[in-house]
Amino acid sequence: MRPLPHFEYHRPVKCISALKLLSSLNNAKILAGGTDLLPQMRDDVFNPNHIIDINNITELCNIEKKNKLISLGSTVNLLQISNSSIVKENLPALHEATSQMGSPQIRNRATIGGNICNASPAADSAPPLYVYKSEAVIKSIDETKTIPINQAFKGPKINCLEPDELITEIRVPIPPPHSASCFIRIGRRKAFTLSIVSAAVYLEMEDTKCIDARIAFGSVSMTPIRVHAVEDLLKEKEISDELIDEVCELTIDSVNPITDIRGTAEYRKDMCGILVKRAIKKTLELV
Amino acid sequence: MNISFMLNGEKVELEINPNQNLVDMLRLELRITSVKKGCELGECGACTILLDGLPITSCLVLAPQVEGKHVTTIEGLEKNPLMIDLRESFIENGAVQCGFCTPGMLISAYSLLRDNPHPSEEEVKKGIVGNICRCTGFTKIIQAILDTAERMADE
């Protein structure tokens, strides 16, 4: 295995210190869990002169319920998310996704911020974050801004961050009662595998009538995506088996995945239809 | 740079290069060769150790990141009753062939049973999903873990 490149290691304990380092250092990379960064450094994808380890910044590693939203610090790891009762009770799709990502060893290190910044279209935390209309808080030394989570993903492995920016927090509005959500995915095996297709569904219901529907897929486009045309089909409608079949057909027509080593485009299209059907049925049971 | 951390209950102070990962530091600087290198990508689990009590792949941790932390390898668990039972169980069940996956597998098994003393077979499989074994086909490893769970439950 090729060795890691030489770099200077920095260990800020405050967010402001990390931001100062990011703004002053040339060719610096943020180190959180390291589960994506280190392999990519060995693969020569990244060759940083500086590594800024943000795992010791306490401001970044909390899960909090504040008023109407849940705040996830960007260095919160997947184990903490999957163990969190706040997340399990309020954001079940995120709980389901994070509980099955990677392996126990990976979950003990990998962070929610890192999963987003790595910006793989197959990021399993993304479909749930998308359907919950989450936001990412991005800080630099001069500015703090909040963006809808989908804007963090610009393309395959391309995030929206400028070199001096850091994601500090993910904010997720707490879903209202009479709503439910779930996450479902398929891979080449049952665990510790990249998703071939992943899906999250969120439904707000009034009895059998759907008031709001949000559907997101991973691994079927250059970024995780919502499928608004399919969502519109469900809104303000009574959800019947016939409607679900229509949703399945429209989903297949609405996605344009690629063929890669994990599956063909045709298979992925079909699986989007199957997963959306299963996810809607599962979500309806949870409402 | 200098770092200071706890290794198997004892304080270690060391001068390291930041671009060395934890598995190399343990093997090359500290001569703890029970920690194996398989893939250096966090996918095979051969390098699994406990960091502050949690199983992690030491190939994905940089040496300076253990500053102030507790690192535990199987040597540090030699007197631990759960680990002792697991090791016996692995031997009895034929869960060790070449032995390369074994230290990491034991750490994962130990962590699983410590947190979930009565796992189902599915839970055992999920608990060791981060550890690849090329020899045993996993069945004997799973059985060894279940046997230990049963024995420890009786106590």
Side-chain angles (χ1 to χ4, degrees), chain A residues 188-248:
Chain A
R188 294 192 68 189
R189 55 189 202 144
K190 285 192 207 167
F192 202 5
T193 184
L194 277 168
S195 296
I196 302 176
V197 178
S198 61
V201 164
Y202 168 94
L203 298 173
E204 254 172 70
M205 303 292 290
E206 210 174 68
D207 292 322
T208 48
K209 183 170 155 194
C210 171
I211 309 177
D212 193 12
R214 303 175 205 155
I215 300 171
F217 286 105
S219 307
V220 298
S221 186
M222 295 201 290
T223 66
I225 54 167
R226 293 264 301 272
V227 275
H228 297 291
V230 180
E231 294 169 356
D232 289 342
L233 197 57
L234 283 164
K235 285 181 194 169
E236 303 300 323
K237 303 259 188 30
E238 299 284 327
I239 300 191
S240 62
D241 284 342
E242 290 75 27
L243 183 62
I244 294 178
D245 284 340
E246 269 184 69
V247 160
C248 172

Side-chain angles (χ1 to χ4, degrees), chain B residues 49-114:
Chain B
I49 52 123
L50 297 178
L51 185 63
D52 284 348
L54 293 176
I56 56 106
T57 44
S58 53
C59 61
L60 296 181
V61 176
L62 295 176
Q65 291 187 283
V66 301
E67 170 68 41
K69 293 194 186 293
H70 290 256
V71 173
T72 310
T73 65
I74 53 168
E75 287 84 354
L77 293 168
E78 256 166 27
K79 301 209 171 78
N80 179 285
L82 175 56
M83 182 56 90
I84 291 171
D85 198 298
L86 270 170
R87 288 166 62 170
E88 279 307 307
S89 197
F90 268 52
I91 295 168
E92 279 160 18
N93 279 281
V96 182
Q97 288 189 26
C98 80
F100 200 81
C101 75
T102 308
M105 190 69 77
L106 281 170
I107 295 281
S108 289
Y110 167 84
S111 171
L112 165 72
L113 292 182
R114 181 196 59 193

Side-chain angles (χ1 to χ4, degrees), chain B residues 2-44:
Chain B
N2 286 316
I3 57 165
S4 165
F5 65 102
M6 299 298 286
L7 174 62
N8 295 327
E10 288 185 10
K11 191 168 183 192
V12 170
E13 281 166 352
L14 204 51
E15 198 185 320
I16 49 119
N17 277 324
N19 73 332
Q20 190 171 52
N21 62 14
L22 178 58
V23 60
D24 279 337
M25 181 180 78
L26 289 170
R27 288 178 57 82
L28 302 175
E29 313 300 330
L30 295 166
R31 294 304 192 201
I32 308 223
T33 51
S34 64
V35 187
K36 307 297 185 197
K37 269 188 2 177
C39 68
E40 289 196 279
L41 299 171
E43 291 179 12
C44 75

Side-chain angles (χ1 to χ4, degrees), chain A residues 42-60:
Chain A
R42 290 192 189 277
D43 234 354
D44 223 4
V45 172
F46 300 119
N47 203 346
N49 295 128
H50 298 274
I51 294 278
I52 304 170
D53 179 354
I54 57 170
N55 290 291
N56 301 287
I57 302 176
T58 46
E59 302 144 72
L60 300 180

Side-chain angles (χ1 to χ4, degrees), chain A residues 2 7 17 39 44 85 136 193 214 229 254:
Chain A
R2 54 162 278 128
F7 49 79
S17 317
D44 223 4
S85 52
T193 184
R214 303 175 205 155
S254 302

Side-chain angles (χ1 to χ4, degrees), chain A residues 60-224:
Chain A
L60 300 180
C61 63
N62 301 309
I63 300 177
E64 287 172 322
K65 193 173 169 189
K66 308 175 184 180
N67 276 332
K68 297 199 173 152
L69 59 82
I70 289 169
S71 162
L72 306 169
S74 57
T75 63
V76 169
N77 66 43
L78 303 181
L79 176 79
Q80 289 167 313
I81 296 180
S82 71
N83 279 350
S84 159
S85 52
I86 294 175
V87 172
K88 191 170 183 185
E89 280 156 25
N90 296 283
L91 311 173
L94 185 63
H95 165 81
E96 280 158 27
T98 52
S99 302
Q100 56 84 53
M101 283 167 73
S103 64
Q105 294 95 316
I106 295 289
R107 290 193 289 276
N108 285 332
R109 297 296 288 172
T111 64
I112 186 84
N115 195 228
I116 294 163
C117 292
N118 186 52
S120 165
D124 279 346
S125 71
L129 290 176
Y130 273 43
V131 301
Y132 290 132
K133 288 194 175 168
S134 313
E135 294 179 315
V137 178
I138 295 174
K139 290 194 182 198
S140 63
I141 198 89
D142 297 318
E143 203 189 347
T144 299
K145 60 188 184 193
T146 304
I147 60 165
I149 196 70
N150 58 298
Q151 288 179 16
F153 292 81
K154 286 281 181 231
K157 299 294 190 84
I158 303 170
N159 64 41
C160 68
L161 298 178
E162 295 298 323
D164 65 343
E165 288 179 333
L166 177 69
I167 292 189
T168 56
E169 192 189 343
I170 308 300
R171 288 189 184 156
V172 193
I174 295 176
H178 309 300
S179 72
S181 51
C182 79
F183 172 83
I184 189 170
R185 70 92 175 245
I186 47 161
R188 294 192 68 189
R189 55 189 202 144
K190 285 192 207 167
F192 202 5
T193 184
L194 277 168
S195 296
I196 302 176
V197 178
S198 61
V201 164
Y202 168 94
L203 298 173
E204 254 172 70
M205 303 292 290
E206 210 174 68
D207 292 322
T208 48
K209 183 170 155 194
C210 171
I211 309 177
D212 193 12
R214 303 175 205 155
I215 300 171
F217 286 105
S219 307
V220 298
S221 186
M222 295 201 290
T223 66

